[in-house]
Amino acid sequence: MNIILLGPPGAGKGTQAERLVAERGMIQLSTGDMLREAKTSGTEMGKRVAEVMDRGDLVTDEIVIGLIREKITGGEGSGKGFIFDGFPRTLAQADALGALLEETGQTLDHVIELQVDDEVLVGRIVGRAEAAAAAGQPVRADDNEESLKIRLMEYYKKTSPLTGYYYAKGDLKGVDGLGEIDQVASDVAAIL
Ligand code: AMP
């Protein structure tokens, strides 16, 4: 079973993906994590995307589609299924994912939108940065107010049309992302 977790930054996609990995043995494919890894390991691509990411803009479709293609066709298998977390983020990426899955004889089973209020999002992200700083952990370079504004705008301009896209395909399910983590997880489980 392959699923997409859709929703703005701070909606809880990563948190819910981790639960699904632990509880169901699914494989989390987070393009954000892959890009941050490339950034820290200082690969050519990592250097190219660093500034764009820190600013809060989206990196090019070509780069992220390439990363996902590698994972899907890389022969590592799909375990109990893929969780696409933070991908797709544009209509071009959504089309590319559809083609990749078809090419590899796989299906997309559910697109789950984590629905949250904008005010709450901003609070969560600021909270995430403060908690990391207080614990002496590294704060994400894009977890600051300025980058957050750009990330939200990128979401509304480029990613939010995907809810219409997947609704029209008949794949979209909505979950209230404002509840406790356990509640959201059980709503997600009910869909799966
Ligand atoms: P995330 O961890 O999902 O919030 O992603 C962090 C940053 O990585 C985003 O703000 C973008 O700069 C970049 N990024 C992650 N996934 C994508 C994607 N699918 N398309 C374009 N940029 C992405």
Side-chain angles (χ1 to χ4, degrees):
M1 180 164 56
N2 299 309
I3 68 168
I4 294 174
L5 292 179
L6 206 60
K13 302 184 295 293
T15 303
Q16 293 301 325
E18 281 165 23
R19 294 276 298 240
L20 293 168
V21 170
E23 290 165 14
R24 293 173 184 254
M26 295 178 78
I27 296 178
Q28 178 186 11
L29 295 183
S30 157
T31 40
D33 286 349
M34 296 174 209
L35 291 165
R36 274 185 292 277
E37 233 175 80
K39 226 178 94 174
T40 17
S41 57
T43 62
E44 240 353 273
M45 185 269 279
K47 285 183 205 152
R48 256 191 298 148
V49 299
E51 209 178 303
V52 178
M53 285 178 75
D54 292 355
R55 203 166 55 224
D57 283 321
L58 294 187
V59 310
T60 64
D61 288 333
E62 196 194 346
I63 288 177
V64 289
I65 291 167
L67 288 170
I68 289 291
R69 171 183 289 278
E70 259 175 53
K71 297 284 182 187
I72 294 184
T73 61
E76 282 176 49
S78 58
K80 299 275 167 54
F82 292 122
I83 309 158
F84 297 97
D85 161 14
F87 179 93
R89 261 178 156 98
T90 64
L91 291 168
Q93 291 176 24
D95 280 338
L97 177 62
L100 267 173
L101 289 174
E102 201 178 305
E103 208 179 295
T104 51
Q106 303 192 66
T107 52
L108 178 62
D109 299 283
H110 302 285
V111 178
I112 301 176
E113 183 193 11
L114 299 178
Q115 297 161 333
V116 281
D117 180 90
D118 287 332
E119 291 288 323
V120 175
L121 286 181
V122 176
R124 276 189 187 177
I125 291 184
V126 172
R128 173 164 82 187
E130 284 170 358
Q137 288 168 350
V139 176
R140 272 177 58 160
D142 59 353
D143 273 356
N144 61 74
E145 214 169 315
E146 208 173 310
S147 301
L148 179 57
K149 268 190 206 146
I150 297 177
R151 285 160 67 199
L152 261 185
M153 190 56 85
E154 287 286 79
Y155 177 79
Y156 283 112
K157 283 203 296 202
K158 298 175 184 166
T159 310
S160 67
L162 295 186
T163 55
Y165 176 99
Y166 286 117
Y167 176 78
K169 279 183 179 279
D171 296 329
L172 190 72
K173 319 263 168 14
V175 158
D176 178 4
L178 282 179
E180 292 297 319
I181 292 173
D182 284 343
Q183 180 60 48
V184 180
S186 89
D187 292 347
V188 169
I191 291 171
L192 305 183

